[in-house]
Amino acid sequence: MAKESLRGEYGKTLLRIGRDNKNIVVLDADLAKSTKTLTFGKEVAERFIDMGLSEQDMISTAAGISLTGKTVFASTFCVFLIGRVYDQVRQSVCYNNANVKLVGTHSGLGVGEDGATHQMLEDIALLRPLPNMRVIVPADATETARAVEYAAENDGPFFIRLTRGNLEKIYDSNYKFELGRASVIKPGRDITLFAIGAMVEKALEAAKVLAQESIDAAVINVSTVKPLDKDTIMDAARKTRAVITIEDHSVYGGLGSAIAEFLSQNHPTKMKIIGVEGVFGRSGSAADLYSHFKLTAHRVVDEARKLIS
Amino acid sequence: MNKTELNRLTGIAREIRILIIKMLAEAGSGHPGGSLSIADILSYLYFKEMRIDPQNPEMQDRDRFLLSKGHAAPALYAALALRGFFPVEDLFSLRKIHSHLQGHPHHIDTPGVEASTGSLGQGLSMAGGMVIGCKLSQSEANIFSIIGDGEAQEGQIWEAAMTAGFRGLANLCVFLDYNDLQIDGRVSKIKDIYPVKEKWQAFRWHVLEIDGHNLEEIETAVDSFKSEKEKPTMVIARTTKGKGVSFMEDGVDWHGVAPNREEAEKALKELSNG
Ligand SMILES: Cc1ncc(C[n+]2csc(CCOP(=O)(O)OP(=O)(O)O)c2C)c(N)n1
Ligand SMILES: [Mg+2]
């Protein structure tokens, strides 16, 4: 199946929704070619600002612009967009409930060869506790477009977390994104695989392997990590015997933590959290890194067998 | 500025100082020194200069003031209350549970507060962002801000300075509250920001130096800002931390300690006679 670029789609979507909408302003911090905000910037120069290498200034400036009534997108790599400027995100953006959309590209191990300095594995953990912040992790290009449109149309802070590499197409053009709604890609009776971003395709692959062993796995894309779709998660936990979460993020504070927080207090369920185990990443191709850190379909299959045997 | 006007604005500055002392004594905590040092600038901006409407705090095209050194919130609250954004009585609920007056300014809670501040160094970027936003909406509104001299040690101040200078954000007027004190001591001893004028000039700002307690000099500076059409304006305002209360003036210990009853009474007596 054809793979598509999420950040490429982000740039195209920005241009589509922002070309004629004078309310939309886009900021970047010297990574516009990589984040693809330049697709917008080349055509709509008057509402595109390259802030240069000034991430702190970019975030607070974005908040200031939004406080005059604009919808502001701000992008750079996740490691700089969130880690570098956490206090600015917390106080300039969230405390003001500013209409700022943080769209980070190059999240997690998916960055690949640039290594640990550029592989943000803690951004979801940092943002989930922040009041007013919504956290979305699209699983393909179509969902990226819908999420960006949604964020543009709805007031207040959003974080949209994109991966560097291309991902398989999961949704067709009829797909409707809803904030706080997980999408059940495949129902199942034995075990539930909750995944986000680049890990959704791994979960789907794992479900295929499990099917050959007569284990019927549900695959659910929890693209809105915050607010969490509690109904869908509860429903899946009730219908199956165990759940697995898979994310290109630390096992601390991400999707797995969010689901564990919810289920442990409402419907204790056998569970395995798959992610990066509190270590830094390293250089390598994204595929090699996913193998090295055991974020693979094979690993999911193993864990599923263990959980329901 | 004629005599009547000068007396009016001087009176308001004194009223702001009196309210600062009263509300801090009532709250039992807060920042008197840095609040007292900006009373004159706020008097001028809120009561002479800015196009704002207390009845309609969100008025389109309004001028905006953003207190980057958010710990001086009592001064801002006093100016807003006196200007009619909310009742003066509210000031005495400062820092108490259920009050809309948070320890540091909160945009969502308090009418007239244009941005939440308190983590130093972020306000200048937000003020610059407001100029950019207003320009994109074809508004010629002016954005005013005050930063502290200790705050000027923050790296983000210089990112924002570069942005505003490079982009020629001429509708931005920033006062540097140059009182040579921060929490741990003299700014000039801890990490001296000197030379100040040359720094801001090098960052392509229109730079003025004034006595930050002299209303006529404040007026001259604001007039100069309004006729400058290419560069943002930095008004280096020489100030005395704790200005107006003799035992607080230029004292490092009055940064973040509220006066007790006795001290407040002494301060109020001085201010009323002054
Ligand atoms: C980022 C940040 N670091 C530390 C503080 C704690 N703090 C509050 S006021 C202050 C000193 C500020 O000095 P200055 O800017 O000179 O203010 P002023 O003298 O006018 O009170 C510090 C360190 C803070 N509010 N924000
Ligand atoms: Mg100072």
Side-chain angles (χ1 to χ4, degrees):
Chain A
M1 183 122 21
K3 295 212 174 204
E4 299 172 329
S5 162
L6 277 61
R7 51 200 170 104
E9 189 63 31
Y10 168 49
K12 284 186 233 163
T13 307
L14 271 183
L15 182 59
R16 180 160 44 74
I17 64 176
R19 194 198 294 269
D20 299 318
N21 182 347
K22 297 234 180 327
N23 233 29
I24 290 183
V25 182
V26 179
L27 270 53
D28 205 298
D30 202 30
L31 283 167
K33 288 180 193 161
S34 299
T35 64
K36 304 299 178 193
T37 58
L38 196 59
T39 309
F40 175 90
K42 274 196 295 210
E43 301 273 330
V44 196
E46 70 280 11
R47 279 181 282 117
F48 174 75
I49 304 173
D50 197 324
M51 298 295 298
L53 272 160
S54 303
E55 293 82 7
Q56 307 179 72
D57 187 34
M58 173 170 78
I59 299 299
S60 301
T61 300
I65 297 174
S66 82
L67 289 172
T68 70
K70 304 286 179 195
T71 301
V72 187
F73 282 82
S75 288
T76 175
F77 294 175
C78 287
V79 72
F80 311 127
L81 187 70
I82 309 301
R84 177 83 179 204
V85 295
Y86 188 59
D87 188 45
Q88 282 76 7
V89 172
R90 180 175 185 273
Q91 316 224 25
S92 291
V93 176
C94 291
Y95 197 43
N96 278 314
N97 198 16
N99 197 18
V100 172
K101 323 300 171 182
L102 304 172
V103 182
T105 65
H106 298 66
S107 58
L109 297 175
V111 167
E113 292 78 356
D114 276 351
T117 52
H118 285 54
Q119 292 162 348
M120 186 59 174
L121 292 165
E122 304 87 15
D123 43 358
I124 299 175
L126 285 167
L127 292 184
R128 277 202 309 125
L130 287 187
N132 298 328
M133 179 58 78
R134 275 71 56 90
V135 178
I136 304 174
V137 188
D140 79 350
T142 304
E143 189 169 45
T144 301
R146 295 296 94 79
V148 170
E149 290 161 6
Y150 187 93
E153 286 159 13
N154 290 274
D155 202 45
F158 280 80
F159 171 50
I160 300 179
R161 184 186 202 248
L162 303 180
T163 192
R164 170 181 170 230
N166 297 347
L167 298 182
E168 274 173 27
K169 185 174 173 64
I170 292 172
Y171 299 108
D172 64 25
S173 54
N174 296 320
Y175 175 68
K176 194 170 172 314
F177 171 84
E178 233 183 290
L179 185 75
R181 273 307 278 270
S183 100
V184 180
I185 300 176
K186 173 192 173 307
R189 280 169 295 134
D190 298 320
I191 190 161
T192 304
L193 312 179
F194 292 112
I196 48 171
M199 295 300 109
V200 173
E201 54 185 55
K202 312 267 182 222
L204 284 167
E205 204 183 317
K208 273 188 204 149
V209 178
L210 289 167
Q212 289 160 13
E213 302 175 16
S214 301
I215 297 174
D216 188 14
V219 178
I220 299 181
N221 169 22
V222 194
S223 45
T224 308
V225 179
K226 186 194 172 194
L228 204 59
D229 182 353
K230 295 176 177 167
D231 292 343
T232 299
I233 291 165
M234 178 63 96
D235 193 52
R238 285 207 172 111
K239 282 184 180 151
T240 59
R241 285 187 278 153
V243 307
I244 295 179
T245 64
I246 316 129
E247 61 200 300
D248 181 0
H249 180 275
S250 170
V251 293
Y252 301 111
L255 172 73
S257 299
I259 291 180
E261 285 158 15
F262 172 65
L263 286 179
S264 64
Q265 297 176 75
N266 295 282
H267 186 79
T269 305
K270 277 170 77 178
M271 182 169 180
K272 177 67 193 177
I273 296 173
I274 300 178
V276 178
E277 306 274 348
V279 293
F280 284 112
R282 53 184 301 116
S283 288
S285 71
D288 286 348
L289 287 163
Y290 286 147
S291 298
H292 181 83
F293 289 95
K294 300 197 170 61
L295 268 63
T296 58
H298 182 74
R299 164 91 181 285
V300 176
V301 169
D302 273 357
E303 300 289 355
R305 284 192 199 117
K306 275 190 242 166
L307 274 177
I308 61 172
S309 64
Chain B
M1 189 179 305
N2 65 40
K3 194 90 192 152
T4 326
E5 193 66 347
L6 183 60
N7 286 342
R8 183 180 72 91
L9 294 173
T10 306
I12 290 166
R14 181 187 306 133
E15 199 56 37
I16 291 174
R17 289 193 166 94
I18 288 171
L19 288 171
I20 289 168
I21 296 300
K22 284 186 177 169
M23 84 178 97
L24 285 174
E26 189 64 37
S29 70
H31 301 82
S35 298
L36 292 167
S37 74
I38 61 170
D40 306 287
I41 297 169
L42 290 186
S43 169
Y44 186 82
L45 292 179
Y46 275 95
F47 292 86
K48 174 106 169 104
E49 175 57 29
M50 289 199 296
R51 268 187 345 103
I52 45 174
D53 178 2
Q55 257 50 66
N56 181 11
E58 310 270 292
M59 179 178 76
Q60 277 248 298
D61 279 358
R62 67 187 180 281
D63 292 338
R64 294 166 201 245
F65 173 79
L66 191 157
L67 183 63
S68 193
K69 40 167 278 189
H71 58 281
L76 173 62
Y77 296 159
L80 288 171
L82 289 171
R83 189 72 172 77
F85 281 87
F86 49 81
V88 171
E89 300 88 80
D90 290 8
L91 295 176
F92 308 112
S93 67
L94 171 69
R95 289 175 167 248
K96 302 246 160 73
I97 195 82
H98 305 315
S99 174
H100 70 89
L101 299 175
Q102 297 298 297
H104 293 78
H106 189 203
H107 166 61
I108 310 286
D109 274 9
T110 310
V113 169
E114 296 284 1
S116 308
T117 49
S119 179
L120 293 168
Q122 301 187 24
L124 187 57
S125 298
M126 287 195 266
M130 286 178 180
V131 174
I132 293 171
C134 287
K135 269 189 167 177
L136 285 171
S137 301
Q138 272 73 49
S139 162
E140 281 302 308
N142 289 326
I143 311 295
F144 296 92
S145 187
I146 303 180
I147 65 170
D149 49 359
E151 184 180 13
Q153 294 162 346
E154 287 284 354
Q156 187 177 357
I157 289 292
W158 300 99
E159 294 183 4
M162 205 184 294
T163 298
F166 167 65
R167 298 197 169 272
L169 302 182
N171 289 29
L172 179 61
C173 180
V174 180
F175 291 82
L176 173 72
D177 183 2
Y178 201 1
N179 55 29
D180 195 26
L181 281 174
Q182 55 191 107
I183 294 184
D184 286 347
R186 295 236 166 261
V187 172
S188 51
K189 294 275 157 49
I190 289 171
K191 178 146 94 175
D192 198 358
I193 61 172
Y194 179 86
V196 179
K197 187 176 180 188
E198 290 79 356
K199 276 198 184 73
W200 290 91
Q201 279 173 340
F203 280 78
R204 306 202 216 170
W205 286 56
H206 171 53
V207 185
L208 304 158
E209 284 175 295
I210 64 164
D211 169 353
H213 303 303
N214 182 317
L215 284 154
E216 286 170 311
E217 290 189 27
I218 295 170
E219 175 168 66
T220 309
V222 171
D223 287 346
S224 169
F225 152 67
K226 286 193 286 189
S227 53
E228 167 63 52
K229 298 293 173 208
E230 279 167 13
K231 296 175 176 178
T233 295
M234 167 52 64
V235 184
I236 300 167
R238 285 275 178 190
T239 53
T240 302
K241 198 156 173 167
K243 176 74 179 179
V245 177
S246 61
F247 60 92
M248 290 185 177
E249 282 191 3
D250 203 29
V252 72
D253 294 333
W254 286 100
H255 172 84
V257 180
N260 62 27
R261 290 262 154 239
E262 257 169 54
E263 290 161 339
E265 263 170 43
K266 209 171 139 203
L268 290 171
K269 197 174 281 174
E270 278 187 24
L271 285 166
S272 313
N273 298 337

